[in-house]
Amino acid sequence: MRLVRLLPLLPYLWLGAFFLLPFIITLKISFSAAATAQPPYLPVLDWSAGPVGWAYFLEALDFANYETLAGDSLYRDAALSSLALAAAATLILVLIGLPIAHAMARAPGRWQPALVALVIVPFWTSFLIRIYAWIAILKPEGLLSGALMQLGLIASPLEIMNTQTAVLIGLTYAYLPFMVLPLYAVLNRLDPRLREAAADLGASPARVFWTVTLPLARPGLAAGALLCFIPMVGEFIIPDLLGGSDTLMLGRVLWSEFFSNRDWPLASAVAILLIVLVVGPVVLFREAEARREEAGK
Amino acid sequence: MTVPDHTEGEPLLRIAGLSKRFGAFAALSDVSLDLTAGEFVCLLGPSGCGKSTLLRLVAGFETPTSGTIMLGSEDLAALPPHRRPVNMMFQFYALFPHMSVGRNIAYGLKGMGMGRTAVADRVAELLRLLRLDGFEGRAPDTLSGGQRQRVALARALAREPKVLLLDEPLGALDRSLREETQGELRALQRRLGTSFVVVTHDAGEAMTMADRIAVMNQGRLVQIGDAASLYERPASRFIAGLLGDVNLIEGRIAGPAAGAIQAVETGFGRIEAATERSWGLGEAVAIGIRPERVTLVAGAAALEGRITERTYLGDRLRYRVTMADGTILRASVLSSGHALSPGDPVGVAFAPDAIAILPP
């Protein structure tokens, strides 16, 4: 019975163990200096030394890694490029996901479970394998170029593999379900009589969409956009496999700092920067929501 | 809103041979109904009888399987909902939750070529008409049920439709408010001269408000007429029961009595009833008689029974009378007279014009 009373604490325990604690450790490492040691950074807290150990430990922490991030244009460019690619992919996802979700929600009721299942089906194959499959499609001698050349639409193979275009295609493909499902959930719950009422009052189908369907789908649109944008900013596999060396994204920078350079402190600083970059839009969004809510009252 | 080529006296809305099938299910079968300008018609029937389908066909949300819907000389069937010069007030109102009361009402006025000030004036006029002054900026979900109902009505009236379709307009209101609103709705309709087609499952509501009631059952329009004719001369047992309490007694036609009076042989004796229809001798029928049209007489009478139960209802007394063959008749009399007690023998009499002869 006492276990049951602890149940409400479970979310906090979970967040504490799997988010807050790792976050604090990462934050600490980001203030450290790289070292050829085990672990590969300094300082390490000497628990046996007592208060003296703590004083030495705290003194050794500094902002040097963040100064490096600010000073080197590589990191700034990677951050801007990550944000730009994630934003562009989010926009494309909205433009593709909205019509798909809209059509699903308006399909006959008996088809809808099958349509939802079709959106989820790709998850049955490993993410990594699906991205590898895109290499086979996008490479110059791949399926896409071959098909377009067969049709006589292009004369020479497409040069999109290892470009930002390939990354955009990959991001759009991989994250589409995360845009479609929240939008579908909202549109599916939308009272069809609201659309009928708008049409009854003389609104053309286009006006019904802009003035009734879209405003009422906003929560789903916001959820979908955040669900896609946040992981896309830090995406590693897609730019690494499809983007080639041209594509600079924070996920790849983090990976190379960590594994190639073995610079854990700088990699940790990049990770913290990534969190700040994705938390920023969420906070801005929540504030805009709150203001809107305030204005609506 | 103008309706082309409509002249006074002709029906405004003419529904002819309208049918709607959903797969194998016939939601509406061969319904014909004319509506004159300024008329208040109620579509009455149990749920699933096709009354809402009929409304949705006129509004354009469903496509008829066959039949025509003409407004004046214009065939509505060819028009999508947003081009039809009729408006609908939806069941549970379907107010736009993300718009204020004012914007809900103004929604239909946008795109009518009205200027900004003309729209504002019209909205103010509608707010006044429906006693919603001061609610313009409120969100629909902050209003009471009655206020939401009036916003929905204002929104549906904004484009000045010649015909307004109302789907259970009072269904979501509580009882006391519903009775008050029935009168208001009727007064508003008279004042505006708009034709109203109201869907309801409440016979009392239909009788209170409508000029004519169209009774529907299983996708068919089974009888249309004013409240009195439907109540007094129902065409079937279903209609007799729908419009109020009724004693239904099985019998056989025993032959004509005087004039248009038919004699019907029942289990407890011969009853004479006025009828406009001709019936075959020996044909099985049912006779319907309202409890308040059963006359109880003390002493000897042609038909005799015994009081088995008495219920006091304030202004009326309700008796159960068991007839010689065990048939139970319900009788409702004014409670001011002499009260009979259970066990008392009683004579029962009916005026021939109080009885409807119905198909069995």
Side-chain angles (χ1 to χ4, degrees):
Chain A
M1 286 308 100
R2 287 174 68 184
L3 270 177
V4 173
R5 265 191 282 160
L6 287 177
L7 219 52
L9 291 177
L10 199 61
Y12 300 100
L13 288 173
W14 184 274
L15 275 177
F18 296 110
F19 175 74
L20 199 58
L21 195 63
F23 177 77
I24 289 168
I25 293 169
T26 308
L27 193 65
K28 185 261 148 188
I29 298 174
S30 79
F31 292 129
S32 309
T36 314
Q38 191 64 260
Y41 52 82
L42 283 171
V44 178
L45 178 60
D46 185 357
W47 290 95
S48 57
V52 184
W54 273 97
Y56 169 75
F57 173 75
L58 290 173
E59 224 166 83
L61 296 176
D62 59 32
F63 288 94
N65 295 310
Y66 293 96
E67 281 157 21
T68 310
L69 287 189
D72 193 330
S73 67
L74 171 85
Y75 303 106
R76 197 187 57 222
D77 290 350
L80 289 177
S81 160
S82 290
L83 288 175
L85 272 168
T90 305
L91 186 67
I92 296 169
L93 282 166
V94 169
L95 294 179
I96 298 175
L98 199 53
I100 292 177
H102 195 244
M104 281 169 67
R106 300 195 63 172
R110 61 183 190 281
W111 291 6
Q112 291 198 10
L115 291 172
V116 173
L118 281 177
V119 173
I120 298 171
V121 146
F123 291 125
W124 290 11
T125 306
S126 151
F127 178 72
L128 200 58
I129 289 171
R130 285 183 285 133
I131 300 306
Y132 268 112
W134 273 101
I135 296 177
I137 296 171
L138 295 177
K139 64 185 177 184
E141 63 277 23
L143 286 170
L144 183 64
S145 286
L148 290 177
M149 280 165 74
Q150 281 287 321
L151 289 168
L153 293 172
I154 51 168
S156 56
L158 288 172
E159 299 290 342
I160 53 173
M161 191 59 207
N162 297 330
T163 64
Q164 296 209 344
T165 310
V167 176
L168 266 183
I169 291 173
L171 288 173
T172 306
Y173 162 76
Y175 286 89
L176 191 58
F178 298 104
M179 180 61 80
V180 169
L181 291 177
L183 273 175
Y184 166 75
V186 169
L187 290 173
N188 187 40
R189 278 204 317 263
L190 206 65
D191 186 348
R193 287 174 313 129
L194 293 175
R195 285 197 298 263
E196 289 179 351
D200 187 67
L201 293 165
S204 63
R207 187 169 170 234
V208 174
F209 179 79
W210 288 111
T211 59
V212 176
T213 309
L214 195 59
L216 291 173
R218 270 175 32 91
L221 204 60
L226 287 180
L227 223 48
C228 293
F229 180 82
I230 291 171
M232 284 196 300
V233 172
E235 181 57 57
F236 165 71
I237 290 174
I238 294 171
D240 195 57
L241 292 183
L242 302 179
S245 52
D246 287 358
T247 313
L248 206 54
M249 280 184 81
L250 276 178
R252 296 188 70 203
V253 170
L254 197 152
W255 190 90
S256 62
E257 291 299 346
F258 198 86
F259 291 103
S260 307
N261 303 345
R262 255 184 94 75
D263 190 340
W264 285 25
L266 192 58
S268 298
V270 172
I272 299 296
L273 173 67
L274 200 52
I275 289 173
V276 172
L277 284 181
V278 297
V279 165
V282 177
V283 171
L284 284 177
F285 170 76
R286 292 292 290 269
E287 275 190 4
E289 271 309 87
R291 263 201 304 278
R292 180 180 276 270
E293 206 115 296
E294 205 64 27
K297 284 281 144 65
Chain B
M1 212 171 287
T2 58
V3 178
D5 308 332
H6 173 252
T7 47
E8 288 302 316
E10 266 180 46
L12 174 67
L13 183 72
R14 178 171 280 173
I15 296 164
L18 201 62
S19 297
K20 174 67 184 177
R21 304 185 72 85
F22 294 104
F25 173 67
L28 208 64
S29 306
D30 193 25
V31 167
S32 297
L33 175 68
D34 286 351
L35 185 77
T36 55
E39 198 176 13
F40 196 127
V41 169
C42 274
L43 303 178
L44 175 67
S47 62
C49 72
K51 56 193 194 299
S52 286
T53 304
L54 178 55
L55 216 59
R56 291 174 59 79
L57 282 162
V58 176
F61 303 129
E62 308 286 354
T63 319
T65 308
S66 61
T68 57
I69 307 165
M70 303 287 290
L71 187 73
S73 64
E74 193 175 19
D75 185 1
L76 289 189
L79 299 174
H82 65 279
R83 299 240 166 79
R84 295 194 183 195
V86 296
N87 285 121
M88 179 143 156
M89 182 184 149
F90 286 76
Q91 191 175 13
F92 311 118
Y93 320 134
L95 296 176
F96 304 127
H98 58 301
M99 296 183 196
S100 66
V101 167
R103 286 184 59 211
N104 262 284
I105 297 173
Y107 191 87
L109 300 171
K110 309 256 172 74
M112 284 186 82
M114 288 170 77
R116 191 180 282 265
T117 51
V119 169
D121 288 348
R122 179 78 181 127
V123 170
E125 184 188 337
L126 287 158
L127 288 168
R128 215 166 30 246
L129 182 69
L130 287 150
R131 297 182 289 111
L132 287 164
D133 305 81
F135 288 98
E136 189 171 2
R138 293 272 289 272
D141 62 5
T142 65
L143 304 181
S144 73
Q147 288 160 350
R148 279 207 291 276
Q149 192 260 0
R150 297 207 297 277
V151 175
L153 196 53
R155 186 179 71 173
L157 285 169
R159 290 161 69 89
E160 297 183 52
K162 280 278 184 286
V163 178
L164 184 66
L165 312 167
L166 302 96
D167 193 356
E168 299 276 3
L170 311 176
L173 301 180
D174 59 39
R175 196 192 171 91
S176 62
L177 191 57
R178 193 155 61 207
E179 279 167 12
E180 184 188 322
T181 314
Q182 285 169 6
E184 283 180 9
L185 201 59
R186 178 75 234 209
L188 184 70
Q189 186 268 340
R190 285 264 166 77
R191 178 133 62 110
L192 298 173
T194 309
S195 297
F196 275 27
V197 181
V198 175
V199 156
T200 180
H201 64 272
D202 183 327
E205 193 172 295
M207 291 167 85
T208 309
M209 297 192 295
D211 293 319
R212 283 194 300 159
I213 300 170
V215 180
M216 297 186 64
N217 192 27
Q218 295 178 339
R220 294 185 180 278
L221 202 165
V222 288
Q223 191 175 6
I224 183 160
D226 60 22
S229 71
L230 259 58
Y231 187 78
E232 302 284 345
R233 310 230 68 83
S236 68
R237 303 167 69 123
F238 168 77
I239 298 163
L242 190 67
L243 270 83
D245 197 5
V246 66
N247 292 297
L248 289 165
I249 303 151
E250 311 294 332
R252 283 185 185 282
I253 299 288
I261 310 280
Q262 282 278 355
V264 178
E265 194 63 51
T266 70
F268 55 85
R270 184 173 286 230
I271 294 174
E272 294 188 342
T275 180
E276 288 126 35
R277 245 183 84 175
S278 60
W279 302 88
L281 192 66
E283 192 176 342
V285 293
I287 62 166
I289 178 153
R290 303 282 176 196
E292 73 274 13
R293 303 299 293 267
V294 176
T295 313
L296 300 181
V297 286
L303 305 170
E304 286 187 337
R306 193 173 288 278
I307 303 283
T308 46
E309 193 182 307
R310 182 181 70 189
T311 313
Y312 178 70
L313 297 170
D315 57 335
R316 300 193 78 87
L317 281 170
R318 167 150 295 210
Y319 293 108
R320 284 166 78 92
V321 183
T322 306
M323 304 304 288
D325 67 333
T327 304
I328 291 168
L329 286 179
R330 278 157 296 153
S332 172
V333 301
L334 285 171
S335 54
S336 52
H338 170 68
L340 296 156
S341 304
D344 289 355
V346 70
V348 177
F350 316 102
D353 66 351
I355 299 172
I357 304 182
L358 307 167

